[in-house]
Amino acid sequence: MAYTLLNGKDLALRMKKAMSAQVEELKNKGAIPGLAVIIVGNDPASRIYVNSKKRDCEEVGIRSFEYALPEDVQEEQLLELIDTLNNDDNVDGILVQLPIPDHLDEGKVLRRIRPDKDVDAFHPYNVGELMIGNHAFAPCTPAGIMELLKDAKIDVEGKNCVVVGRSNIVGKPMSMLMLHANATVTICHSRTKNLKDVCKTADILIAAIGKPNYITRDFVKEGAVVIDVGINRTADGGMTGDVDFTEVSKIASAITPVPGGVGPMTRAMLLKNTIKACIMHKRGKLS
Ligand code: GUN
C-alpha cells in the first residue's frame, strides 16, 4: 500500500515563511517578538536543541536571548533570572531547556515563569487551561502534530487514537488535544497490559516511548496513521524514531519520518507560540 509521508520539515519551512512575513508586519507596527532561552549545564543534546531554537528565531526575525547558567547554579539565582525576564518587556516568551540538574526543583522553576510568557506551556496554569480547552498555548510537540495532521487533511473526529507514553511534555497534552478534536483517546504506558493489542485498535497511533524502533509492524492496524515522536541517537551518530519505519510504512496509510517529521514541527510551534505571546503582550499598543 502506498503511504503518505507526513513531511514535517516541509511544513515547518512553509510555516516559517509565513511567520517571517507576520513578524515583519509586527515590526512595522513597532513590536519585535523576543524569546529568552535558559540553559543550565553542559548537556550536549540540550546545547544542540538550544542552538537550533536560536537559529530558528533568527530565520523568522524573532529576537532571541540566551542565558547559559553553570551546572551548579543555585536555584535562587535561576529563579531571580526568571523574575527579571518576567518583567522585561522585550521578552515575550521564556523557555527553560529541560532537563535541568537534579539539585534544582523543576516544578518550582516552571511555576516561576509568567504563564503568559510560558511558550512551552509547562506551567500548571497552562496545563489546566489546556485541560478545559481554553488554552492560549499548547506544548509544542503535540501542537505540531495537530498541525501536521491538519495540513495532511487527516480527520481526527471519531477516530481511535492511541498515545503511547504519558509524559507531561508529550503524552498527556497530546491526549488532551486529540480529545478536544473529538477523537476517542487511549493513553498507554510502560505498565499497560497487551500493549500490542491496544495499539492495533488505533486509527491514529502516536509513539512517544523513547525506545528505538519499538513499534514494529505487528503493533499497527492496516491503514493506520502513525506518528513517531521518538528521537533516539544511534551508535553511528544518526537518529532513529520509536517506530520501525521500514516495516510499518508497508501497512500505514500515513507516517512521519525521523528525522524530518515531528521534530521540525516542535521547533516551528515554539516560534508560533512566541509570536502569539508577542501579539497578546502588545495588543492595544501596536501602531
Ligand atoms: N527538552 C526536551 N524537549 C523540550 C521542550 O519541548 N521544551 C523544553 N523547554 N525542554 C525540552
Side-chain angles (χ1 to χ4, degrees):
M1 195 171 90
Y3 62 85
T4 301
L5 188 73
L6 299 170
N7 188 334
K9 192 175 167 185
D10 172 71
L11 176 55
L13 269 175
R14 283 185 276 135
M15 285 177 66
K16 281 201 276 189
K17 214 168 164 187
M19 288 191 281
S20 297
Q22 199 184 0
V23 170
E24 191 58 36
E25 212 174 296
L26 281 169
K27 283 183 179 168
N28 290 337
K29 292 178 179 171
I32 308 173
L35 175 68
V37 181
I38 302 173
I39 177 170
V40 184
N42 306 306
D43 179 59
S46 289
R47 174 40 67 196
I48 293 171
Y49 290 135
V50 165
N51 288 349
S52 309
K53 287 168 186 178
K54 280 165 54 189
R55 195 161 2 100
D56 290 337
C57 283
E58 244 168 65
E59 274 176 40
V60 303
I62 293 174
R63 267 201 292 202
S64 72
F65 311 95
E66 180 187 309
Y67 298 87
L69 302 179
E71 181 83 28
D72 61 354
V73 68
Q74 294 292 306
E75 189 172 87
E76 202 46 46
Q77 206 181 328
L78 173 56
L79 296 174
E80 274 171 23
L81 171 60
I82 294 173
D83 287 342
T84 305
L85 298 170
N86 280 341
N87 294 317
D88 185 340
D89 286 343
N90 290 318
V91 173
D92 295 295
I94 303 169
L95 178 153
V96 178
Q97 184 64 31
L98 301 177
I100 51 177
D102 287 343
H103 70 280
L104 302 169
D105 181 343
E106 183 182 296
K108 197 170 172 186
V109 170
L110 295 179
R111 276 176 172 79
R112 195 70 162 237
I113 299 172
R114 238 171 72 177
D116 61 306
K117 295 194 176 189
D118 173 34
V119 284
D120 262 330
F122 295 162
H123 189 292
Y125 176 89
N126 286 319
V127 175
E129 291 284 47
L130 179 65
M131 186 105 185
I132 60 173
N134 185 43
H135 48 287
F137 307 117
C140 299
T141 298
I145 291 169
M146 296 310 286
E147 289 285 329
L148 203 48
L149 293 171
K150 194 167 125 195
D151 185 69
K153 299 191 168 51
I154 293 170
D155 197 15
V156 169
E157 182 158 323
K159 300 278 173 65
N160 286 335
C161 173
V162 175
V163 179
V164 191
R166 54 175 159 179
S167 70
N168 292 333
I169 295 183
V170 181
K172 287 181 202 166
M174 184 77 250
S175 305
M176 275 303 134
L177 290 179
M178 278 290 175
L179 191 58
H180 293 320
N182 297 318
T184 302
V185 183
T186 306
I187 309 173
C188 299
H189 47 80
S190 54
R191 311 278 173 89
T192 298
K193 294 204 178 11
N194 305 321
L195 180 64
K196 225 176 245 188
D197 293 336
V198 181
C199 287
K200 273 207 127 139
T201 66
D203 302 310
I204 302 171
L205 178 62
I206 301 175
I209 312 161
K211 290 185 186 165
N213 305 321
Y214 187 84
I215 300 292
T216 48
R217 191 174 165 144
D218 47 339
F219 283 72
V220 181
K221 178 168 76 176
E222 181 102 30
V225 173
V226 181
I227 307 291
D228 190 350
V229 184
I231 299 177
N232 306 291
R233 303 279 159 190
T234 53
D236 61 1
M239 188 194 282
T240 188
D242 291 347
V243 176
D244 180 345
F245 183 91
T246 310
E247 284 303 309
V248 171
S249 61
K250 289 176 184 159
I251 56 167
S253 62
I255 184 168
T256 58
V258 176
V262 173
M265 292 305 298
T266 298
R267 288 165 50 183
M269 293 313 294
L270 176 64
L271 303 175
K272 196 167 175 184
N273 281 349
T274 304
I275 293 170
K276 190 169 186 186
C278 173
I279 293 170
M280 278 166 22
H281 293 140
K282 273 75 176 197
R283 191 174 287 151
K285 295 183 204 157
L286 299 176
S287 55

